[in-house]
Amino acid sequence: MNDRPTPDPLAPAARSSARDPWLLTPGPLTTSTSVKAAMLHDWGSRDDAFIAMTARVRERIAALAHAAATHECVPLQGSGTFAVEATLGTLVPREGRTLVLVNGAYGRRMVEILQRIGRAVAVRGWEEHEPVDPWVVDDLLAADPSLGHVAVVHCETTTGILNPLAEIAAVVARRGRRLLIDAMSAFGAIEIDARATPFEALMASSNKCLEGVPGIGFAIVERPALGSAKGNAHSVALDLHEQWRGLESNGQWRFTPPTHVLAALDRAVEEHALEGGVAGRGARYRANCARLVGGMRAMGFRTLLPDELQAPIIVTFHRPADPRFDFEAFYAALRARGFVIYPGKLTRAETFRIGCIGRIGLAEIDGALRAIEEAVRDLGFDPAAA
Ligand SMILES: *Cc1c(COP(=O)(O)O)cnc(C)c1O
């Protein structure tokens, strides 16, 4: 492993192949060449080096939430949803009732998971362009003492809206309940400090703002909650308590670990630190987002959300009402120019989305804006048509 290449971690984003498109999506995302290069080895699951790597990544991720003293980071094979399902199934007692705060598809997914695994759920919904209201949460908790947990999405990737996490956490803590945060799309770019924002568990994954490759989900869980969750889980493979016990007992993963994905994440976490941690990563994404929104508005496109509700993660734009606008043709025109965007995921408005995250910077955003300008011209639609 000492032949590992050591490229400049802060070198401008580079594609490993001229044919890789820039992924302006909610994931999978563009990764750095050095993160990809970290995978050019084979590790045994019992190798000392791999065991040390697992411990290092767990510790560094917990530290990103200022949670190393109070919480454990438990990684799990799979995409982010695997970690969400494992966390809900492990931490919510079989007889527990959970209030899920829903303003998009990922909130709805937590409801679906809880229902499928046979846990009682109360749902409070908002419109997809509205943030969760902490005062409503306060009223619901005051009225119903059977609600032991509250589950919420930090940045709802459906629209890109940012929910007021600190206020929600304060309400939940004041009412003596436990908070489960789907922080998937913003973890590593928007600060969450466990000392100030109390949570029982936070879920995220390797391939969003940490800029690793996809394949690992993880939860950062309060130690006592994890310790007392034995036997709760509905599933053998998605049992975070057992996964943690396995890691604690011999440093190894319970089942075949995604060795290459972990090596990439190890490198990605290092590059995150070199970029200035959460503040540095967040600053790059905020700059990307501001440039993107400014450029799109200058062409006439309209954002779904007002700027004060917009997280610098992914931006939802209204589809132009011009009949000459066709999303598939627009997508193809951008793909041909090397940029991948994403359809909308809203239940009502017709939209599309462009991500600001991954190993991209202003040069790539400017490239995307030029490609969009050309696509508008070639396809002949009016971006401002409402
Ligand atoms: C990406 C994402 C997930 C997990 O999705 P996977 O496709 O399973 O990785 C969960 N919640 C939010 C808010 C997300 O953005």
Side-chain angles (χ1 to χ4, degrees), residues 74-108:
V74 186
L76 187 72
Q77 298 91 332
S79 82
T81 305
F82 290 64
V84 173
E85 187 157 335
T87 304
L88 295 175
T90 302
L91 296 181
V92 175
R94 302 238 170 154
E95 305 310 319
R97 265 186 95 222
T98 303
L99 172 63
V100 186
L101 311 174
V102 176
N103 59 345
Y106 292 99
R108 285 195 293 277

Side-chain angles (χ1 to χ4, degrees), residues 26 79-82 84 106 109 153 155-157 182 184-185 205 208:
S79 82
T81 305
F82 290 64
V84 173
Y106 292 99
R109 186 177 295 175
V153 179
C155 167
E156 234 316 341
T157 323
D182 174 350
M184 204 69 60
S185 59
S205 76
K208 293 208 176 170

Side-chain angles (χ1 to χ4, degrees), residues 302-349:
R302 293 167 303 120
T303 59
L304 177 82
L305 298 173
D307 293 345
E308 61 274 17
L309 296 179
Q310 176 72 58
I313 304 296
I314 189 163
V315 183
T316 300
F317 295 95
H318 287 286
R319 293 191 184 194
D322 188 331
R324 286 167 298 186
F325 177 82
D326 169 57
F327 177 76
E328 294 307 329
F330 184 55
Y331 176 95
L334 298 181
R335 177 66 186 81
R337 289 170 172 84
F339 297 92
V340 172
I341 65 166
Y342 225 60
K345 198 175 186 164
L346 271 67
T347 42
R348 296 190 191 180

Side-chain angles (χ1 to χ4, degrees), residues 169-191:
V171 162
V172 173
R174 201 162 59 234
R175 293 282 172 197
R177 317 302 168 83
R178 293 174 296 282
L179 183 64
L180 306 172
I181 307 167
D182 174 350
M184 204 69 60
S185 59
F187 184 76
I190 299 179
E191 178 81 355

